[in-house]
Amino acid sequence: MLDINTIRKDFPILDQKVNGQKLIYFDNAATSQTPNQVVDSIVDYYKRTNSNIHRGNHKLSIQATTAYEDVRKKLHKYFNSRLPQEIIFTSGTTQSINIITLGYTDLLTSKDEVIVSEMEHHSNIVPVQMLCERTGAKLNVIPMDNQGNLILKEFDKFISEKTKLVFVSHVSNALGTVNPISYIINKSHEVGAKVLIDGAQGASHFEIDFQKLDIDYYTVSAHKMCGPTGTGILYGKEELLNKLSPWHGGGEMIDEVSFEKTTYGELPHKFEPGTPNIAGVIAFGAAIEYMDNIGLDNIQAHEDELLKYCTQELKEIEGLKIYGEAKNKIAVISFNVEGIHHYDLGSLLDQFGVAVRIGHHCAQPVMNYFKIPGTVRISFSFYNTKEEIDLMIKALKRAITMLQ
Amino acid sequence: MTDMLAIQDEIVAEFSSFDNWADRYEYMIELGKSLPLIDPKYKVDNNLIKGCQSNVWLHSETNDGKLIFTADSDAILTKGIIAILIRVFSNQDPDSIMEAKTDFIDKIGLKNHLSPIRANGLLSMIKELKMYAVKSKTRSN
């Protein structure tokens, strides 16, 4: 059991009024809130340690480098990668995915095939489409059913010796579906295809063991797991990352530079050109520590309870339809109310102090599947409570009455 | 034709009579329901205003040198906003529309309730209304 009242003291942002009402923050799938411990780590870094890393030879630079590299080691242990250098620091999931799609430009031809799923976030669709346009590779799309599950029979049909890469999200941001990534990875590996798992919505909810799941590539955004924005990781198996061309050139990523020939550095530096987001990475370390202390098992149990309770309450509301009812889903609920536009509901909920997301959630193919322009999306984190759900339901009912 | 400034003052007075947001929003919803609706044949992609979070269609016709606006949206609050704008801009001559000031919007406290994205949508609507006036003037010259 989590002691939510104590936990909430770490998040002063939650204790405020917006539009004159008590804030209820239910937009955690877009960005989670940042506890004091993480904010303090950023402040401390700039007050005491700020210095450029790797190249410096003075005390502060050594301290900054050690703190930065310690986070890499921490994430390596946390996610159980084989080597620390398999953890590449990026600006977040979007950049991580683009590093892979750019890296494969020279490795694919028009004879190859790539698979994505219909429920991906645009950041796991557009870079893949661009890769296919550059290389001529064929793009196959795994469809989903009306509960929001991927249709694996169709995935099986696409998998062949021609398949080189598969891009699937761990968890759908629009529907909350947890995808069967083990099945997809194993099936892909049978034909030698590599799999990228977009973990933007996954890493904040589950313990993930990169080696045990035999994951080729995994992407994480720190700001979805109590960390700062602009920081994330790309995980890749060493032997795979070594084969990829660097995506950007610059300082820090080289072995030797001359006008005759420049050679690139080893992992992880090959993929980390320029001065990185040092404070962000250090704060990401603090965020992982914070979540680890609470325990992902506890987090998951509490969020599941909120999901069940809220789903039940929402279903009592006449004309309300939930999109995405997979058996295995995280605490994300997308819905619409008959005859009311999601924009109107979202605007009124905002006036009641309830922060939700409205729109297509950067997953237009999902909206096209359901033939809707968008939804209202509620998403919970471990610091949310049933009392907040009660207040939200009350606000929602009042908004519906006003709009009908 | 009533003077555009007089209409604006009228709207400001109406909105200042509400002392809470809920009443103000309920009034906007009421206004949304009274919006002069666009003829379905003009509800086409060409008449969609870009930059709005919900679909907004706008059409204009000229009657005796004055522009008559009709519109629709799939969101009721958006319909309310466009209804307020049409009340000011419709049945005016192109010159008045082009020169019209729109600081009444700040005065009714609407912008405080709009996110920057939604405020952009509002600006797009005003721009579009004025564009119709420019086009109409170019045609008549």
Side-chain angles (χ1 to χ4, degrees):
Chain A
M1 273 293 280
L2 296 181
D3 179 2
I4 307 293
N5 285 334
T6 308
I7 287 173
R8 283 179 76 96
K9 293 198 178 104
D10 294 332
F11 296 86
I13 196 169
L14 297 173
D15 185 25
Q16 66 172 307
K17 288 193 167 182
V18 293
N19 297 324
Q21 316 264 345
K22 183 182 154 19
L23 168 69
I24 296 174
Y25 187 77
F26 282 170
D27 193 19
N28 295 284
T31 205
S32 55
Q33 293 306 343
T34 321
N36 286 334
Q37 291 83 337
V38 174
V39 177
D40 290 348
S41 74
I42 297 172
V43 175
D44 278 354
Y45 169 77
Y46 278 114
K47 278 190 175 170
R48 292 177 230 287
T49 319
N50 185 31
S51 192
N52 212 335
I53 55 167
H54 293 142
R55 300 287 178 218
N57 200 16
H58 53 83
K59 184 70 183 167
L60 284 188
S61 169
I62 293 163
Q63 272 177 3
T65 306
T66 306
Y68 182 86
E69 289 303 326
D70 278 352
V71 177
R72 199 188 306 278
K73 284 182 205 146
K74 191 179 279 179
L75 291 167
H76 146 67
K77 285 208 184 97
Y78 184 82
F79 290 115
N80 192 29
S81 68
R82 194 169 66 82
L83 302 163
Q85 60 266 38
E86 291 176 325
I87 305 289
I88 312 292
F89 288 120
T90 66
S91 68
T93 288
T94 300
Q95 191 180 69
S96 301
I97 294 168
N98 277 279
I99 291 176
I100 296 301
T101 53
L102 288 166
Y104 269 91
T105 303
D106 303 329
L107 301 177
L108 294 189
T109 71
S110 57
K111 288 178 187 135
D112 296 322
E113 294 187 5
V114 176
I115 297 176
V116 295
S117 95
E118 192 175 13
M119 70 170 74
E120 296 310 301
H121 187 281
H122 295 161
S123 64
N124 206 24
I125 296 176
V126 182
V128 183
Q129 283 178 319
M130 289 160 77
L131 170 65
C132 288
E133 271 169 30
R134 286 196 296 276
T135 59
K138 188 181 167 203
L139 186 64
N140 295 308
V141 183
I142 317 168
M144 62 176 194
D145 65 21
N146 60 10
Q147 299 291 298
N149 299 294
L150 289 181
I151 303 174
L152 292 175
K153 266 193 298 189
E154 298 300 317
F155 167 70
D156 292 347
K157 284 186 205 159
F158 288 136
I159 278 285
S160 77
E161 301 294 326
K162 288 183 184 169
T163 312
K164 292 292 178 291
L165 279 171
V166 179
F167 295 81
V168 177
S169 53
H170 195 163
V171 174
S172 153
N173 75 308
L175 303 172
T177 314
V178 181
N179 286 318
I181 59 169
S182 278
Y183 179 88
I184 289 167
I185 291 169
N186 294 337
K187 201 86 189 170
S188 303
H189 285 175
E190 280 171 21
V191 295
K194 306 301 173 203
V195 183
L196 180 143
I197 304 294
D198 170 355
Q201 302 291 342
S204 50
H205 301 281
F206 314 111
E207 267 174 38
I208 299 150
D209 187 320
F210 288 159
Q211 287 190 81
K212 201 165 143 199
L213 290 165
D214 199 15
I215 291 175
D216 300 311
Y217 305 110
Y218 197 92
T219 64
V220 177
S221 290
H223 73 98
K224 310 258 195 211
M225 44 195 311
C226 296
T229 54
T231 310
I233 61 163
L234 163 65
Y235 157 78
K237 285 178 182 162
E238 184 200 27
E239 66 271 22
L240 298 178
L241 289 179
N242 275 336
K243 281 186 210 153
L244 301 187
S245 311
W247 67 296
H248 272 181
E252 298 253 11
M253 54 79 73
I254 49 87
D255 173 29
E256 278 180 63
V257 175
S258 72
F259 285 107
E260 286 69 44
K261 182 167 176 62
T262 289
T263 50
Y264 307 127
E266 302 271 304
L267 291 177
H269 308 296
K270 183 170 115 176
F271 292 109
E272 294 181 11
T275 299
N277 184 354
I278 306 168
V281 165
I282 290 169
F284 188 11
I288 290 285
E289 207 168 288
Y290 185 85
M291 292 198 63
D292 210 19
N293 278 339
I294 294 175
L296 279 169
D297 285 352
N298 294 327
I299 290 174
Q300 216 183 322
H302 179 69
E303 288 174 356
D304 272 351
E305 210 182 308
L306 295 179
L307 172 68
K308 275 199 200 106
Y309 179 66
C310 189
T311 304
Q312 209 180 329
E313 292 292 304
L314 286 172
K315 283 190 167 174
E316 299 282 314
I317 295 174
E318 211 189 306
L320 188 144
K321 180 178 162 49
I322 293 175
Y323 298 92
E325 294 203 82
K327 278 208 181 80
N328 196 4
K329 70 178 276 193
I330 54 141
V332 165
I333 310 173
S334 250
F335 67 91
N336 274 325
V337 178
E338 208 185 333
I340 299 179
H341 196 272
H342 55 82
Y343 163 86
D344 290 326
L345 268 185
S347 303
L348 286 189
L349 284 174
D350 177 43
Q351 290 301 316
F352 282 111
V354 185
V356 298
R357 180 139 285 220
I358 53 160
H360 53 58
H361 317 298
C362 296
Q364 281 179 346
V366 173
M367 301 301 129
N368 292 342
Y369 174 89
F370 289 111
K371 297 188 174 61
I372 48 174
T375 68
V376 178
R377 185 189 70 181
I378 301 171
S379 53
F380 303 119
S381 188
F382 55 86
Y383 41 68
N384 290 127
T385 64
K386 281 189 178 174
E387 291 70 47
E388 287 181 306
I389 293 176
D390 290 338
L391 288 171
M392 180 277 291
I393 295 281
K394 214 174 126 194
L396 180 62
K397 283 180 178 164
R398 177 118 189 260
I400 292 169
T401 313
M402 281 174 78
L403 290 164
Q404 265 166 352
Chain B
M1 183 178 83
T2 319
D3 176 53
M4 283 176 95
L5 279 175
I7 303 173
Q8 295 189 14
D9 286 345
E10 208 177 277
I11 294 170
V12 173
E14 283 166 19
F15 272 83
S16 63
S17 69
F18 304 118
D19 52 9
N20 66 66
W21 73 266
D23 290 347
R24 197 179 294 131
Y25 268 62
E26 260 166 1
Y27 185 57
M28 288 233 315
I29 293 164
E30 283 310 306
L31 290 175
K33 288 175 185 163
S34 71
L35 174 73
L37 279 184
I38 191 168
D39 189 313
K41 72 178 171 197
Y42 297 120
K43 214 171 151 177
V44 290
D45 285 356
N46 242 349
N47 286 330
L48 269 174
I49 300 179
K50 287 204 173 76
C52 298
Q53 279 191 323
S54 49
N55 285 327
V56 183
W57 296 268
L58 180 69
H59 174 67
S60 124
E61 275 170 31
T62 315
N63 184 5
D64 199 16
K66 287 172 197 153
L67 260 59
I68 312 292
F69 290 105
T70 50
D72 200 2
S73 170
D74 37 21
I76 188 73
L77 288 171
T78 314
K79 278 171 89 164
I81 293 172
I82 192 97
I84 294 169
L85 294 178
I86 283 185
R87 200 164 129 200
V88 173
F89 282 88
S90 203
N91 206 19
Q92 305 289 345
D93 62 70
D95 279 324
S96 308
I97 292 172
M98 279 158 60
E99 285 156 21
K101 291 214 169 73
T102 52
D103 38 354
F104 75 103
I105 290 164
D106 293 327
K107 287 186 200 153
I108 58 177
L110 203 58
K111 258 195 184 156
N112 297 337
H113 293 288
L114 298 174
S115 73
I117 297 170
R118 293 179 211 159
N120 279 344
L122 180 65
L123 290 178
S124 302
M125 289 182 203
I126 294 171
K127 208 170 99 188
E128 204 62 32
L129 289 160
K130 292 198 168 199
M131 275 307 287
Y132 271 109
V134 174
K135 276 185 219 159
S136 145
K137 219 179 156 196
T138 330
R139 268 199 306 271
S140 59
N141 281 348

